[in-house]
Structure formats: structure tokens, C-alpha cells
Amino acid sequence: MSILHSRSAAAGATIEATFVASSPRRSSWLALWSSDDPGGLLRGSASLVPGDSPATATVARRLGGDVVVDHVAVRRVPMSAAIDLLAGPPPLEADETASFAAWRRAIRFALSAVARGRLLPTVTEEGHDGWRLDPLDADDRATLGALALALPPAAHAAVDDAGRMPEPLVLVRSFVDAVADAFVRTSAAPIVAGSVTFADAEPLKVPHLRPWVGEVTAVHCAGSGLAIRMEPSLDGEGRERWRLVVQFRSREDPSLLVDASAFWRAPAELRARFGHHAEADLRTGLRRASAVCSAFHRLLDHVSPERLELTTLELEDLLDHLDQLIELGVDVRWPSEVVDVPIERRLIVGASTPGDAMPTVNALDDLLEVDWQFLLDGSPLTKSELATLAAAKRPLVPIRGRWVRLDRVARNRLREGTPPLSASDALAAALGAGLTLDREAGAGGSSGGDGSSLPLGETEGANDEDAVEVVLEGAIADLVDRLRNLDGAREAQEPAKLAATLRPYQRRGLAWMSDLCDIGLGGCLADDMGLGKTIQLLSLHASRGGATLVVCPTSLVANWEREARRFLPGTIVHRYHGASRSLRTVEDGDLVITTYGVVRSDAETLAEFGWDLVVADEAQHLKNPRSRTARAIRTIPSTARLALTGTPVENRLSELWSILDWAVPGLLGPLATFRHTLATPIERQNDPRATRRLAAIVGPFLLRRRKTDPDIAPELPAKVERDVIVPLTDEQVTLYRATTEEVLADLADHDGLARHGLVLRLLTALKQITNHPAQFLGERGPLDGRSGKLAALDDLVRAARGNGEQTLVFSQYVAMGRLIETHLAAQGVEVEVLHGGLDVSKRAALVDRFQAGTIDVLVLSLKAGGTGLNLTAATQVIHYDRWWNPAVEDQATDRAHRIGQTRSVTVHRLVTEGTVEDRVAQLLANKRALADAVVGAGGEQWIGNLDDDDLAALVRLDK
């Protein structure tokens, strides 16, 4: 359906919605019509809204002070499509009408009830099979009532043949039942069910199933349910016996539970709370229970069944069929003072090597030794006791002179043994991330209102997970204690070899890295760009005695070499790059600088050297764990590994996994498991528990400081950011509209990857058009008067030069950079372009000239100039076009706004008015917040997944 975002098809028009229930239920549909008359409910043409075939509906609307009945053109949307329409995201444009909002709330309730299993079969008055929402508890019924009270007139405006509007509660109830019926009738339903009855897309005549449906309804929708309380007793010879006590439990108020003996004598007001057919409900429950357990036959012989002394055989029979009784809805309860609490388990984490041995970076999987302990009353169970419990076929087992009840989940757990546990899970649990093991949906009742008994295998207040105690033993306890204290708060003194004075936060970073390396583990220093990660790493190298290998992008080799010679004047620095590269003269204490490209080709050679540290600078180059680069660098052994990056997460959390899995192998477990348990819940559901767990795991191994942190911000000058909204020229408008209309028309003929590629090609074309028509058309000129952005750039550069300031201009496109260079050079501006085609020496020379003040404007391609460069001579930064990834844009800005900058920096983002750039700019503010939470969606790939209507709304040109 493309109906989702078509609600503003006509100026001032909105789309109203009402539910129309016909018979049989499968003919139910949502009626949609246009309304642009503030005084009425209905007016307009159904052609505004796609849907089923056009039709008419008789509706009521207000005209002045009167209510009149009209025949109105509507679109009929079948329930299967209405579910997608109402359950999907809210429309991009226009305020949601009250009728739409009302049915959106109703469908959320219906889908929630379906998810909770509130589904029962039914047979309609005409004899068709169907589904309805039941059994509903008191909260559900209250919600239905509230939905009905909140239903606006337009949402139930359709009238029947007699001219009557439906009652809101009746209509809402019909609607949620129709949703339940439509939702389960998928194309796979007949295959799963093994029958077309209650599963086929079309209703079937099944009047012969009415008795069965009636019995199911009586069991699940009864006002009261059967409960039995088991209590010990002594026979005449002093032997222990068990007594079965019959109880009534109110379905309306599950906390209301009374013995049958008290129920027969209770006042009418109390008995009414168990439903008008409580006695019949009890008989039905006993009759169903007797089908699986012989003891209940004797209870059926009593006019008013109250209790039963069980024989040994009857007790054995009850225990053998306890699970079936619970499945039938019989609440079986045991006294808490006789039946024990559940078997608990705890995790014992120790070192697999004796003594005080500490791990190395490549040995985390071999470091930890994991054992499980099962406890009863806080005391570990012996192997023989565990074997007895595991072999038990009954839920009530005598052990240590007491009865221990094991529900089905507990029995399965004991039989299956302890679950396997990875080193990452064990270390995460030890670090305080907790270890929770999913429970199966076990049988068993709920605790009674009087608190006298507890369900077997559960503890009072238990939730859907088992919290597992973690016990640390031996050297692991000391290791974990040291890791927990790696909070970046301790400051280290600068090494004697360092020819510089570190700032306080840099000394804290040095101490953090030193502690990690001393332990033998790695980590990721994720300071914002410009905070001095390079000098912190050089300080670490100077404080250790081994050789360090620094792997960085080609553009940063010269920068690393220069910084090393500046801050560590006595250190021998090798550039392992070029045709004559060699490691023959490298010794302990030396610093070796190489590139990711060399690592790919020389991994075996580099792996033969005994490195103390291996450092990955701009570690986002490792974000794809399947890339040749990521695989190659993993083969180089070292005492410790450190990743340096200002953006540990650019697009998705799997990038963080890839970086940390290199620095601390095994920390986050296998990638598939990480995605399932952490990445997906955080990225899609913003799961707070998963977020806290991830933070606890990575906390000791990732040090993240931002320029806005209170103890860092005073050391940096101000940064002012502004969007510069510029108009399009007439030529740009013409090109923009023609390109948009042409590509949108072609989308209907493409799907899958072809459609995705077409969308991305459209976005590239629109970006180039908004940059300059000459870029889009592949022309060299003329340039003046054809682009609103270029005119704005002229003004900004002119103002900067007038104030004696230098400017950085970033663009995604080298071709656009060349056009800007040509344009500014013609005006006498000293301008150069830095792009990926320049070799290392030319880039270094260009940076030196800019820093020396001989270049007014430096134009940089975002990919080549967005990281690693120190360009603090600039105080003006212009983003000529947007990358649509806040993290990448921030990296580019940080070329000027970084440690060493002494003046405020102004950032200008050029945005063309009314275009796709303008709309995406509004989204980037939200995305920037997500990136700060280590969650985001980068670049423009997400746009390719939009449907046709959403895409058109995003790229169309405002008037």
C-alpha cells in the first residue's frame, strides 16, 4: 500500500477514516474519504486516496446545527491493508486527523493483545469460521471502554440501512476482532495449521463447530477458574498423606481465591465476583481435569466438592499429570513451608592457568575457566543429587528430607546441563554487565493473594529472566578489579623522553593506556578529533621499552613521522612504506610507521617481528571485519593493541564490534551473537538494558572524551555552527524539477537493487545540481550567476579575507573542488585543492603552506581531508555540500577546531532552500543525538529504502 503518506493530496484536505463492519467478518473494511470543510465531516473525492475499488457509504455529518445523512464517495481498504496503514509510521506531512489517531490507538491495542496470545476461535452468526480477541482481562476491557469513549464522530460516521450510527463500544469491539481475524490469516497459516479451517484467507462455513467453540469459550472466558491447594495431612497410623482442597479463583480479579467450602457459604455479593456461572465453571473444570487425572472423578460425585484425601496411587497419578493439569488452566498450589524454593545456579569464573598469570591480547578465549554450581538453600548440590533431580520424571522430588518441586523449565535445565558460555559473556558478567539467561515459558501458577504458597520453580517477584550470581576466583578477581578501576581518572607523569607537557586529560589518557597494556589487554582511545591522540600514544611508546608499529592512512604517514620527531627527539622513527621498505634495522624502542595498504600486502613480514604495541590510527578503517585490511592486521601479534579513532561508530554498532574485536579479541563474542543480543536491540528498539550491558562490557576498554566535556571545553576556543540557507537560480530550479520528475516516473518500472541504485543516482544528481549546474552537466564554465551556493561562498570568503582569516572548504566531489578553485583564482584568491590523488609529500607541503599563511582558501575533498590533518590556521570552515553523516562532518570540522587552535572557529553549512538538502538537514539534528548514543545510520543509504510516496515528499522542490 502506498496510502501511508497520501493524506494531503489536495490543498487543505485531510483524510478521515471509519470502520465498517459487515457480515461475514471478513468483509470488514476501513472507509477513507476527504474532508476539507471545517464545519462538516465529509467532502471531497475518493480519488485522493488509493485503496480498494471506489464505493459509496452512507454517513452522518454536521451541517450547521443539524446532523444530515449523505452518500459519500469513499475508498474501501480491506482489513489486511488497513493493518499496514494504521500500524505503520505516522504520515510525514499534515497533522493526523482525530479519526486516524483513534483507529491507530485501537489497532495498537489489538496487535498487543494478539502478541499476548489473546486469540480464540469463533463461529459467526452466519456460520463462518473466525477469530476474536479473548480472553480479555479487566485491564483489557477497561482499555476497550476508553477507546470507545475517545472515538470521535468521524470515526464511526457510517450508518446502517436504518440510518443508525453504530455504538462506539460495539464498533471498537468489532474492529479489534476483525484485526485479530485478518492478522492470523497469512498465506502460511494453512501450512502451519495443517488445515484451511480458521486459516484460509476466505471464511469457511463451519456451523458444526459451534459446540466445540462453545466449550473453548466456556473454559477460557469463564468468570472463575478451578484451583486446588495441596496440603499435607496424617492418616490414622501417623503416615504422611496429601489432601486436595478445591478452590475458586476469580478470573476478573485473580488475587481473589477462596476454598470451595467457604464459597458455598459466602454471601451473594462475594459469590457474584466469581461470575454468574461459577458453579458451572467449577464443574467444567473438574470434568476437564478428570480426563487426565483419576482423582477428580471422585470429586465429580460430590454435590458440593470441597476436598479429597488422596491415596498413594492418586498422588502418583496427579504428580505424573501435573503439567497437563496446568495446561488445562488448573491452578495447582503447594504450601511454601513444605515445598522448597527453586534450584538456583551461579557462575564460577576463574583463570585457566595457575598462579597469578595474566592474559595476553590474543589469549582472552583461553584465559577464563567457567564452571556452574547448582544450589539448594544456598548449599551446592552434589553430583549424585543433581543426577537424581535430572533423572526425575515428576515435578515433586524428595531430597535432603524435604520435597523439592521442579517445574518443566527447571527439569529441562537440569537434563540439558549447563549452557555453554563464551569468554566474552563470562568477562562481561564479571565486569558487572550481569548474566541473564532467557527462561522458557514455564508452567506453574502465580503466588496467591494470601502469600501462603508459591509456584514451583519460581520465587516471589521473579520476572522473565533468571539473574545469575557471578563468583570470581583467583587471579581473575584481581584482573577484574583492575579493569573496573580503569576509569580514566588517574593521571600519569610524562615520560622523560617526551619533549612536551601533557594536558591533564592527556595524562589521564596515558595512564589508562598504560594500565591496559600492563594487564596485557588492548583498548580504543576514542577522543574527539583534535584532542591529541597522537601525542598520548607517543607518550605511551616512550614509557615502554619495546617496538611500536603504527598503522595509519597514507595521508597521515608524514604527520606521524613529523610529530614523532618533534615530541620524541631521541627516538628512531622508521617509515615502512615504499619500494625499499625493510624491518632489518628495527630494534626495541623504535617507532615504525606504515599504512593499511602495506599491511594488506606485508602482513606475513610484519607478523614475524616481536612488536610490543600495534596501533591502528583512524581505526574506522577496520570497521568492516570481513575486509582484507581487517583480516590482515589481525594476523600481526603483539603484547597489546590500541585503536585510535574519533568516531568508533559512524553508521552502526558492528563497526564498534570490529574495532574492539581487534583490540581485545573475543571481548564482544561472535559478530552474529553481538548483533542479535546487543546491536539490534539498541539500534532498533533503543533497549536501555542492552545499552547498559554494552556500556558495562566496553567501559574499561574504551576511553571516550569530547570537546564539550567540562574538564576539556575550557582548553578549546568556541565553535559557532550555522546553516546558511541559499536560494536556487532559475537554471537550478529547472534542472532540479526535470531530473526529479524523470527519475520518479522511472521508479515504477524498477524494484530491488535496480530501484535502490536509481534512487541513489537521483540523490547524486540533485546534490550536483544544488552545488552548481556546471558540475551536473560536466562543464568547466561559465560559473558566475548560476549557483546560489557559489554566490554565498563568494560572500563568506570575501568576509574572511577582509578579516585576515583563512578558510577551509569541504566538498564530497573533487570536480566541484576544481570548479571552486577556478572560480576563486579568477578573483585573485590564493586557493589550492587537497584531494586523494596527491602523494604524501605533496599533501605535507600543501598543509605546511596553509599553516604558514600563504594560502587563503584550502578546498578539500571530504574523504581525503576529513581526518588526521592539523589545519588550525583556519578559523572559517565551509561545508559546501552535505555528507549527511554528522560524525563525518564533525571530523572534517575538527581539522581546524582542535588542540592548538587559539581562536574561535565558525562553521558554515550551505543548504539550498526547499530542496532535499533542506529536509535532510532537519533530520541530521536528531541523527547527531543518536550518534552521541553510539547509534546511527550514516550516509544516504537509508533514503534508498523509502517507498515512492516518501521519496517524492523528500526530494520534491517546494514552490
Side-chain angles (χ1 to χ4, degrees):
M1 290 289 292
S2 59
I3 193 172
L4 282 172
H5 305 303
S6 302
R7 293 179 45 237
S8 297
T14 56
I15 301 300
E16 299 286 359
T18 189
F19 174 67
V20 180
S22 57
S23 189
R25 176 179 290 109
R26 291 292 293 160
S27 297
S28 301
W29 41 280
L30 198 68
L32 306 172
W33 69 89
S34 171
S35 172
D36 57 4
D37 180 0
L41 293 177
L42 314 168
R43 210 170 90 185
S45 169
S47 62
L48 297 176
V49 183
D52 202 349
S53 58
T56 59
T58 305
V59 299
R61 72 182 181 94
R62 188 173 300 280
L63 187 62
D66 301 322
V67 175
V68 299
V69 174
D70 280 347
H71 295 286
V72 177
V74 300
R75 281 282 174 173
R76 294 167 45 145
V77 180
M79 285 308 299
S80 58
I83 292 173
D84 293 336
L85 168 62
L86 294 172
L92 284 176
E93 302 202 358
D95 292 334
E96 190 169 50
T97 57
S99 59
F100 251 85
W103 291 118
R104 191 182 296 281
R105 289 191 295 270
I107 203 166
R108 286 174 181 168
F109 165 76
L111 295 179
S112 171
V114 170
R116 288 181 283 120
R118 305 296 197 197
L119 277 173
L120 284 182
T122 187
V123 177
T124 67
E125 294 181 2
E126 294 76 17
H128 291 94
D129 61 353
W131 293 92
R132 73 174 193 271
L133 286 188
D134 259 321
L136 300 181
D137 58 26
D139 289 340
D140 291 331
R141 288 190 288 273
T143 300
L144 277 178
L147 290 171
L149 287 174
L151 209 63
H156 62 109
V159 299
D160 59 19
D161 295 336
R164 295 170 301 191
M165 293 178 66
E167 288 294 326
L169 183 58
V170 174
L171 195 64
V172 170
R173 177 71 214 211
S174 299
F175 173 79
V176 298
D177 286 346
V179 170
D181 189 64
F183 191 80
V184 300
R185 292 181 185 266
T186 65
S187 56
I191 301 174
V192 174
S195 169
V196 294
T197 308
F198 296 101
D200 196 69
E202 295 300 324
L204 302 175
K205 281 277 191 177
V206 289
H208 58 286
L209 294 180
R210 286 190 194 278
W212 172 74
V213 168
E215 183 178 354
V216 171
T217 301
V219 171
H220 292 282
C221 298
S224 64
L226 170 63
I228 59 174
R229 186 178 76 251
M230 302 298 297
E231 59 181 32
S233 63
L234 297 176
D235 61 15
E237 299 178 3
R239 291 175 299 186
E240 187 178 79
R241 304 290 295 272
W242 285 92
R243 179 186 300 126
L244 184 155
V245 179
V246 180
Q247 295 181 303
F248 284 81
R249 179 183 291 282
S250 171
R251 291 273 172 81
E252 181 74 22
D253 181 6
S255 66
L256 187 58
L257 179 70
V258 299
D259 290 354
S261 58
F263 178 83
W264 308 125
R265 299 187 297 274
E269 293 81 2
L270 177 61
R271 295 174 65 176
R273 297 177 63 183
F274 292 86
H276 299 295
H277 307 288
E279 296 184 30
D281 294 339
L282 177 67
R283 288 283 173 180
T284 300
L286 291 173
R287 185 169 59 253
R288 289 168 58 84
S290 67
V292 297
C293 185
S294 59
F296 291 90
H297 285 290
R298 289 204 286 141
L299 285 171
L300 284 172
D301 295 336
H302 295 270
V303 176
S304 301
E306 295 181 359
R307 65 188 62 221
L308 188 66
E309 299 290 338
L310 296 179
T311 66
T312 301
L313 291 177
E314 287 174 332
L315 177 62
E316 295 280 342
D317 186 43
L318 186 145
L319 292 174
D320 288 340
H321 298 92
L322 191 57
D323 288 339
Q324 292 95 313
L325 289 173
I326 294 171
E327 289 173 357
L328 288 175
V330 180
D331 189 359
V332 184
R333 309 184 62 76
W334 302 83
S336 56
E337 69 273 11
V338 175
V339 180
D340 217 318
V341 295
I343 303 294
E344 298 176 346
R345 57 180 168 178
R346 67 184 179 191
L347 178 68
I348 309 297
V349 181
S352 57
T353 54
D356 296 327
M358 282 297 173
T360 64
V361 72
N362 296 316
L364 182 59
D365 286 333
D366 301 325
L367 165 69
L368 302 180
E369 186 175 77
V370 177
D371 192 17
W372 289 94
Q373 252 184 13
F374 289 86
L375 304 98
L376 181 63
D377 271 343
S379 177
L381 290 166
T382 65
K383 290 184 178 181
S384 61
E385 289 172 333
L386 283 172
T388 299
L389 293 172
K393 298 181 180 180
R394 296 171 181 163
L396 204 60
V397 184
I399 190 171
R400 296 184 181 177
R402 303 183 67 181
W403 289 92
V404 175
R405 180 182 172 186
L406 301 174
D407 62 12
R408 195 167 38 184
V409 175
R411 296 202 303 274
N412 290 339
R413 182 181 295 163
L414 288 167
R415 288 170 187 153
E416 294 167 2
T418 54
L421 200 65
S422 67
S424 65
D425 283 335
L427 185 59
L431 289 171
L435 181 68
T436 51
L437 304 168
D438 292 338
R439 301 179 65 124
E440 300 172 18
S446 57
S447 59
D450 58 2
S452 60
S453 56
L454 290 169
L456 292 181
E458 298 186 15
T459 57
E460 207 162 9
N463 54 28
D464 292 335
E465 292 183 326
D466 279 338
V468 179
E469 179 188 4
V470 181
V471 178
L472 307 177
E473 294 183 344
I476 294 302
D478 179 60
L479 168 65
V480 169
D481 185 61
R482 295 178 67 180
L483 287 174
R484 286 172 177 167
N485 291 324
L486 290 178
D487 56 3
R490 185 177 75 85
E491 292 187 13
Q493 290 300 314
E494 295 94 342
K497 297 179 182 179
L498 185 71
T501 300
L502 298 179
R503 290 174 169 83
Y505 74 86
Q506 293 173 333
R507 290 197 295 270
R508 292 192 291 272
L510 171 59
W512 175 80
M513 290 189 293
S514 297
D515 290 342
L516 263 183
C517 294
D518 288 345
I519 294 173
L521 296 173
C524 175
L525 180 62
D527 286 349
D528 269 355
M529 293 293 181
L531 293 185
K533 293 186 291 294
T534 300
I535 194 172
Q536 293 177 71
L537 192 283
L538 291 173
S539 301
L540 176 68
H541 169 75
S543 66
R544 299 176 66 86
T548 296
L549 175 67
V550 174
V551 186
C552 64
T554 304
S555 60
L556 300 184
V557 170
N559 184 72
W560 266 98
E561 186 173 11
R562 185 173 306 180
E563 296 288 279
R565 298 189 189 282
R566 173 186 174 189
F567 295 118
L568 299 178
T571 299
I572 298 176
V573 181
H574 305 265
R575 182 187 290 198
Y576 188 72
H577 187 256
S580 60
R581 59 183 179 265
S582 172
L583 296 176
R584 288 193 301 272
T585 61
V586 177
E587 298 179 356
D588 283 348
D590 292 357
L591 184 72
V592 179
I593 304 167
T594 191
T595 67
Y596 287 104
V598 171
V599 166
R600 286 196 297 272
S601 60
D602 288 19
E604 290 187 12
T605 300
L606 292 169
E608 293 173 356
F609 192 87
W611 302 105
D612 176 48
L613 294 177
V614 173
V615 179
D617 188 28
E618 301 297 342
Q620 60 270 23
H621 283 76
L622 307 179
K623 65 183 181 181
N624 179 4
R626 297 184 179 88
S627 68
R628 286 180 55 204
T629 300
R631 294 200 305 269
I633 199 172
R634 278 171 163 77
T635 65
I636 303 175
S638 61
T639 304
R641 294 172 177 174
L642 289 169
L644 308 181
T645 177
T647 53
V649 177
E650 282 186 345
N651 302 313
R652 52 191 62 86
L653 285 176
S654 59
E655 298 167 0
L656 176 65
W657 178 91
S658 185
I659 292 172
L660 286 178
D661 191 65
W662 170 76
V664 195
L667 174 66
L668 295 174
L671 179 57
T673 303
F674 173 78
R675 283 175 172 158
H676 174 69
T677 60
L678 292 173
T680 298
I682 293 172
E683 291 174 341
R684 296 186 182 177
Q685 291 92 36
N686 291 322
D687 187 333
R689 185 172 58 187
T691 303
R692 289 192 299 271
R693 179 172 169 78
L694 178 59
I697 298 172
V698 305
F701 306 97
L702 187 145
L703 185 60
R704 174 74 165 145
R705 276 91 60 91
R706 295 177 172 83
K707 293 176 181 176
T708 54
D709 291 348
D711 58 345
I712 296 177
E715 302 188 34
L716 281 172
K719 179 174 69 172
V720 179
E721 298 181 274
R722 60 190 289 259
D723 288 343
V724 181
I725 310 300
V726 301
L728 297 176
T729 64
D730 290 343
E731 181 184 7
Q732 286 176 301
V733 169
T734 301
L735 289 172
Y736 191 104
R737 285 180 173 163
T739 303
T740 302
E741 291 171 2
E742 178 184 355
V743 176
L744 290 179
D746 288 345
L747 286 180
D749 300 326
H750 297 79
D751 55 18
L753 291 176
R755 181 187 182 280
H756 193 80
L758 198 61
V759 171
L760 296 182
R761 193 162 72 246
L762 168 64
L763 295 175
T764 300
L766 296 183
K767 280 188 174 185
Q768 293 178 350
I769 291 169
T770 58
N771 277 354
H772 199 290
Q775 183 193 359
F776 174 69
L777 298 171
E779 301 172 345
R780 294 186 178 181
L783 300 177
D784 287 340
R786 300 175 65 188
S787 167
K789 279 189 179 180
L790 196 62
L793 179 73
D794 282 342
D795 293 338
L796 293 172
V797 171
R798 189 180 305 113
R801 294 182 71 207
N803 293 328
E805 298 178 87
Q806 293 172 261
T807 303
L808 301 179
V809 179
F810 287 97
S811 174
Q812 291 176 257
Y813 307 101
V814 175
M816 189 65 232
R818 293 295 190 194
L819 292 176
I820 293 173
E821 180 188 30
T822 300
H823 177 71
L824 293 179
Q827 302 176 33
V829 178
E830 290 294 333
V831 56
E832 295 285 353
V833 179
L834 190 155
H835 56 83
L838 297 178
D839 62 29
V840 175
S841 60
K842 289 183 178 179
R843 292 185 196 186
L846 199 58
V847 170
D848 287 344
R849 289 174 54 208
F850 183 80
Q851 289 294 91
T854 61
I855 299 175
D856 296 323
V857 177
L858 183 59
V859 182
L860 307 97
S861 68
L862 197 60
K863 187 172 182 179
T867 59
L869 299 177
N870 187 341
L871 300 170
T872 52
T875 55
Q876 302 290 321
V877 177
I878 300 172
H879 291 285
Y880 192 85
D881 47 60
R882 307 296 302 278
W883 182 250
W884 294 349
N885 185 323
V888 174
E889 289 186 351
D890 288 345
Q891 284 188 65
T893 299
D894 287 341
R895 301 310 93 227
H897 189 246
R898 59 193 293 120
I899 292 298
Q901 180 61 266
T902 59
R903 297 167 293 172
S904 63
V905 175
T906 303
V907 183
H908 313 270
R909 294 183 289 259
L910 304 186
V911 178
T912 45
E913 184 179 15
T915 66
V916 61
E917 280 190 329
D918 201 357
R919 295 185 184 89
V920 173
Q922 302 299 318
L923 301 176
L924 286 183
N926 295 332
K927 197 173 124 191
R928 193 177 300 270
L930 286 176
D932 287 340
V934 205
V935 181
E940 54 210 30
Q941 297 298 316
W942 59 275
I943 299 177
N945 298 322
L946 296 178
D947 63 26
D948 292 356
D949 290 342
D950 292 348
L951 180 64
L954 186 69
V955 303
R956 77 163 189 269
L957 185 63
D958 285 347
K959 295 182 180 179

